[in-house]
Amino acid sequence: AVDMRRRYRIDAAFEPSRVSPEVAAMIPESWPFVVGSRDKLGSPLVIHRIGQADPAKFSETWEKGRYLDPAGQEVDEMNMFVVWYYRSMEYIRRELQPQLIQQNCPEPNRVVLICDIKGVSLKIVSNAFRKSVVAMQNVGTVVHCNAMKKTYLVNMPRVAKFLWG
């Protein structure tokens, strides 16, 4: 995990300059995302409303958030969008979970992820979308491997069920 943190420069995500105000303002429109509710056992809920994502705005956000390493190679895991996602998950760990512990919730350290697929079109499955999902999985595996309780895919259209098995 330490090597992965170094490889993806996870700790650099907290440098103030890592997410420009322009990209930060674009993210809520291009990727509807909610953090802050909780389930009955007190686990924090993270809801991705993928079906409401605007494919064109998402691709634009991804392009504006590109990160090049010193050798000029693009590093998807340091794209501003992925850094923003990582910061959101860190918000849960640093701010929300301690509050839930103080409230004596039984499972405050286990995150429930809900991906709402309602309204998703094949247009969202662009190169930028695929790259972002892989990068978020890479970062999430390193940083939050023990924090995930359950992931739900809800409101899946029949074609998605067929494609994803």
Side-chain angles (χ1 to χ4, degrees):
V2 174
D3 290 335
M4 294 288 275
R5 285 183 78 92
R6 251 188 247 126
R7 178 178 172 206
Y8 294 133
R9 297 188 61 230
I10 299 300
D11 297 319
F14 292 101
E15 295 171 3
S17 63
R18 279 299 303 130
V19 178
S20 74
E22 178 187 14
V23 171
M26 295 171 71
I27 289 172
E29 289 184 29
S30 63
W31 190 270
F33 179 90
V34 179
V35 175
S37 299
R38 61 185 190 196
D39 71 3
K40 291 178 183 178
L41 293 176
S43 296
L45 295 176
V46 177
I47 303 169
H48 292 274
R49 299 190 192 286
I50 298 169
Q52 295 176 9
D54 181 322
K57 285 185 181 180
F58 181 78
S59 291
E60 181 184 359
T61 302
W62 183 261
E63 281 303 308
K64 287 189 184 219
R66 291 178 65 211
Y67 175 83
L68 301 178
D69 68 11
Q73 297 293 316
E74 187 170 358
V75 181
D76 293 337
E77 287 76 12
M78 288 304 294
N79 184 294
M80 287 184 207
F81 175 81
V82 177
V83 170
W84 170 84
Y85 169 77
Y86 173 64
R87 286 180 177 177
S88 299
M89 296 303 286
E90 280 295 295
Y91 162 77
I92 291 172
R93 190 179 69 76
R94 293 182 181 188
E95 303 292 331
L96 188 58
Q97 288 175 341
Q99 293 171 19
L100 297 173
I101 290 169
Q102 287 180 339
Q103 296 169 11
N104 295 318
C105 295
E107 293 187 346
N109 296 320
R110 306 288 310 272
V111 176
V112 175
L113 175 63
I114 300 171
C115 296
D116 187 350
I117 313 294
K118 184 176 184 178
V120 75
S121 73
L122 291 178
K123 290 179 184 176
I124 193 67
V125 187
S126 64
N127 190 38
F129 178 79
R130 284 191 300 278
K131 289 167 91 174
S132 72
V133 169
V134 169
M136 287 188 297
Q137 286 175 333
N138 288 342
V139 171
T141 300
V142 173
V143 180
H144 307 289
C145 59
N146 296 327
M148 294 305 293
K149 177 179 177 180
K150 198 101 170 160
T151 299
Y152 296 98
L153 297 175
V154 299
N155 298 319
M156 289 182 58
R158 286 185 180 187
V159 69
K161 288 179 186 177
F162 175 74
L163 293 174
W164 288 331

